[in-house]
């Protein structure tokens, strides 16, 4: 298995196009697709984990204090967490601000 | 200070509210996959993998999930995963199960239970892969089939499938002046699977994640074929806002369009309570661009059909008996 990012000639393609590194899609950062960014307000947060369970990317993680934050390398800014957070602790802000 | 600290009792009272904290934190579907923003199907896959855990082999029919998760040379999966052609996910899934059994018998792999799971979209399940699925279920392999139904061929550009609801506008059934969208009613796949006499059939939705995960875990435990039909939102194809993904799934339950139930050995049971007074179909339809052309008369037609289907299901829920119960009566 080569350490190159992708095969350069057809001879380097694995038989059956097999991929030997599980979860290697994580090398691609989908965060660049984002137009809006979620911001957590930890005063309002009740640590219920709704944002964590509903994130299609699986990029929301719990920190040591039990609060949640998004990994902005992967967050596509869909806004599900902000829409589903019933205490209203998550706000979507423009990426440029 | 937050609400939970102000009302310490509420954590126990609202156990369901805090239950997401107890879900396994291990991810088997890595971030970095190329699903659209707010993809309900990617969410459903993530939850399904969490519920399945290790010791699973996944067979994936062609469809959105194969395209977005495995752009060569990368893969988003950390479970053993195989991509097959459109029609034969169930056939390969049953082959994986038979192969694992044979290898275990010969002592070539460790003697532990590995579940074969086949997944497909609505096209790969209801149209193209239907006979392979029917065959695999009939042969009684120890496998689980999960259909992720986003109600059209979203991967290739929103062509209608037999899962597309009545009057939805798609690229091959567009809404025009004469014909308002798709002219056929959605095929009830879960009922067809019940007719195969499976030990376990369920409908699920990622809008109710704990219910969905519970069903996947239950299906994993069952020895024999099982089928889960999962309605997932597709913001691209449904022409809805990406943040309403979860809300639309919830509305589909509250309006009675897609009730969540499970059929265990012939016995129907509703798993998520539907409000006594169901919401009008109007609420579900108005958030989606594919239903934008509908007139109040057409919505009324859909409403009537939904009411009839709902009552038919309620009769089954109230009157059906499991085969075990029926057998016990005969033995007396």
């Amino acid at each position: 298995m080569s350490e190159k990012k992708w095969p350069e000639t057809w001879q380097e393609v694995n038989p059956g196009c097999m991929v030997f590194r599980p979860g290697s899609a994580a090398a691609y950062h989908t965060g660049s697709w984002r137009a809006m960014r979620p911001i957590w307000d930890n005063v309002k947060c009740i640590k219920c984990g709704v944002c964590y369970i509903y994130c299609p990317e699986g990029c929301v993680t719990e920190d040591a204090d039990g609060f949640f934050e998004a990994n902005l390398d992967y967050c596509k800014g869909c806004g599900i967490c902000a829409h589903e957070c019933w205490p209203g602790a998550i706000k979507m802000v423009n990426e440029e601000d | 200070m937050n609400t939970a600290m102000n009302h310490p009792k509420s954590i126990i009272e609202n156990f369901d509210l805090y239950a997401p904290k107890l879900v396994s934190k291990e991810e088997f579907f890595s971030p970095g996959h190329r699903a659209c923003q707010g993809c309900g199907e990617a969410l459903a896959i993530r939850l399904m993998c969490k519920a399945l855990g290790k010791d699973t082999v996944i067979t994936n029919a062609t469809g959105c999930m194969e395209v977005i998760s495995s752009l060569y040379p990368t893969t988003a999966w950390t479970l053993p995963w195989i991509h097959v052609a459109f029609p034969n996910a169930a056939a390969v899934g049953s082959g994986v199960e038979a192969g694992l059994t044979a290898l275990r018998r010969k002592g070539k792999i460790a003697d532990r239970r590995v579940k074969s799971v086949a997944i497909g979209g609505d096209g790969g399940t209801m149209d193209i892969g239907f006979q392979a699925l029917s065959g695999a279920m009939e042969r009684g392999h120890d496998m689980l089939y999960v259909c992720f139904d986003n109600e059209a061929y979203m991967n290739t550009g929103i062509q209608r499938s037999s899962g597309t609801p009545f009057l939805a506008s798609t690229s091959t059934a567009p809404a025009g002046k004469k014909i308002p969208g798709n002219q056929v009613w959605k095929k009830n796949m879960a009922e067809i699977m019940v007719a195969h006499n499976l030990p376990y059939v369920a409908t699920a939705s990622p809008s109710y994640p704990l219910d969905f995960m519970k069903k996947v875990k239950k299906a994993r435990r069952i020895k024999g074929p099982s089928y889960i039909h999962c309605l997932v939102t597709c913001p691209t194809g449904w022409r809805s806002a990406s943040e309403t993904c979860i809300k639309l799934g919830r509305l589909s339950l509250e309006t009675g369009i897609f009730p969540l139930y499970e059929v265990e050995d012939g016995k129907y049971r509703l798993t998520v309570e539907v409000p006594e007074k169901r919401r009008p179909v109007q609420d579900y339809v108005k958030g989606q661009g594919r239903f934008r052309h509908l007139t109040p008369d057409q919505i009324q037609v859909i409403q009537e059909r939904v009411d009839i289907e709902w009552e038919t299901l309620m009769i089954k829920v109230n009157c059906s008996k499991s085969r075990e119960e029926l057998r016990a009566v005969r033995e007396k």
Side-chain angles (χ1 to χ4, degrees):
Chain A
M1 196 184 74
S2 63
E3 283 306 305
K4 288 175 193 164
K5 219 169 176 194
W6 44 73
E8 278 159 8
T9 62
W10 66 267
Q11 289 95 335
E12 291 173 23
V13 175
N14 301 318
C17 289
M18 272 199 271
V19 183
F20 294 101
R21 271 172 298 178
S24 53
Y28 184 87
H29 291 175
T30 47
S32 57
W33 301 10
R34 189 173 58 239
M36 305 277 272
R37 175 164 38 117
I39 299 290
W40 269 258
D41 179 0
N42 284 353
V43 178
K44 286 185 190 163
C45 179
I46 63 158
K47 305 181 182 179
C48 64
V50 154
C51 47
Y52 161 74
I53 198 104
Y54 280 138
C55 179
E57 307 309 311
C59 69
V60 176
T61 47
E62 196 178 357
D63 64 12
D65 298 332
F67 291 113
F68 289 86
E69 58 187 0
N71 184 346
L72 293 181
D73 280 352
Y74 301 112
C75 174
K76 289 172 188 162
C78 61
I80 289 180
C81 47
H83 194 266
E84 293 307 315
C85 181
W86 60 269
I90 308 174
K91 214 167 60 194
M92 300 301 285
V93 296
N94 272 330
E95 188 60 24
E96 277 128 40
D97 297 349
Chain B
M1 287 293 277
N2 57 42
T3 322
M5 282 168 155
N6 291 337
H7 308 281
K9 255 189 191 165
S10 68
I11 292 183
I12 297 168
E13 281 164 9
N14 302 321
F15 179 75
D16 284 349
L17 177 67
Y18 288 92
K21 294 277 262 193
L22 304 174
V23 168
S24 143
K25 293 279 188 293
E26 208 172 351
E27 299 284 350
F28 295 100
F29 192 63
S30 82
H33 60 77
R34 273 76 144 184
C36 309
Q37 294 175 326
C39 176
E41 203 170 352
L43 170 61
I45 294 264
R46 174 177 164 244
L47 295 173
M48 182 195 77
C49 291
K50 264 184 198 295
L52 286 171
K54 284 176 194 162
D55 290 347
T56 311
V57 180
I58 292 181
T59 312
N60 195 347
T62 302
C64 270
M65 282 308 107
E66 170 259 323
V67 171
I68 59 118
S69 68
S70 64
L71 276 90
Y72 191 76
T74 63
T75 176
W77 298 86
T78 52
L79 294 169
W81 176 86
I82 177 171
H83 162 231
V84 294
F86 232 133
N88 58 351
V92 174
S94 61
V96 167
E97 190 267 331
L100 286 170
T101 313
L103 286 175
R104 210 175 295 126
R105 194 180 59 231
K106 290 177 186 166
K108 295 213 171 139
I109 55 171
D111 188 17
R112 61 165 198 270
R113 186 152 179 262
V114 178
K115 187 84 180 177
S116 168
V117 179
I119 60 178
D122 57 315
T125 307
M126 295 156 122
D127 298 345
I128 305 173
F130 184 65
Q131 61 90 12
L133 173 63
S134 183
M137 294 293 139
E138 183 218 335
R139 290 192 299 273
H141 288 279
D142 177 19
M143 66 177 282
L144 163 65
Y145 194 99
V146 188
C147 168
F148 294 102
D149 178 8
N150 53 17
E151 305 199 316
Y153 290 89
M154 299 310 181
N155 167 30
T156 48
I158 322 167
Q159 287 87 5
R160 78 157 285 281
S161 75
S162 55
T164 308
F166 186 56
L167 297 186
S169 173
T170 62
S171 59
T172 50
K177 279 184 188 139
K178 290 266 165 64
I179 303 173
N182 183 30
Q183 290 298 294
V184 206
W185 293 96
K186 184 182 169 93
K187 181 151 82 184
N188 194 340
M189 194 63 190
E191 284 301 322
I192 298 174
M193 284 298 128
V194 172
H196 281 69
N197 285 340
L198 301 188
Y200 189 73
V201 177
T203 59
S205 161
S207 301
Y208 295 87
L210 299 168
D211 172 68
F212 177 41
M213 291 172 78
K214 211 161 49 181
K215 282 168 179 166
V216 172
K217 278 180 187 157
K218 204 169 190 178
R220 194 201 152 96
R221 273 202 308 275
I222 282 171
K223 285 240 160 99
S226 41
Y227 176 84
I228 294 177
H229 193 96
C230 185
L231 182 83
V232 291
T233 320
C234 175
T236 310
W238 294 18
R239 308 270 185 242
S240 56
S242 66
E243 70 266 20
T244 58
C245 167
I246 308 294
K247 187 181 143 202
L248 283 176
R250 210 177 286 134
L251 279 174
S252 74
L253 177 97
E254 286 170 3
T255 54
I257 287 174
F258 192 80
L260 301 186
Y261 58 93
E262 59 179 15
V263 188
E264 226 177 330
D265 202 22
K267 166 91 180 151
Y268 285 70
R269 194 173 70 85
L270 284 183
T271 52
V272 181
E273 219 167 286
V274 179
E276 191 66 34
K277 194 173 179 301
R278 281 174 294 121
R279 292 175 78 147
V281 167
Q282 170 80 33
D283 290 4
Y284 175 69
V285 162
K286 75 181 174 199
Q288 300 175 45
R290 61 176 178 161
F291 289 123
R292 194 172 45 196
H293 57 281
L294 292 193
T295 61
D297 291 350
Q298 288 163 342
I299 293 175
Q300 194 51 40
V301 173
I302 299 176
Q303 179 73 59
E304 271 167 28
R305 168 88 176 200
V306 169
D307 288 347
I308 289 171
E309 298 237 315
W310 171 256
E311 275 161 33
T312 319
L313 178 69
M314 284 329 279
I315 293 170
K316 285 175 187 162
V317 169
N318 293 330
C319 305
S320 66
K321 282 181 178 167
S322 72
R323 282 184 274 286
E324 199 63 44
E325 284 171 350
L326 292 173
R327 221 171 285 135
V329 171
R330 287 175 69 85
E331 277 164 11
K332 262 177 201 169

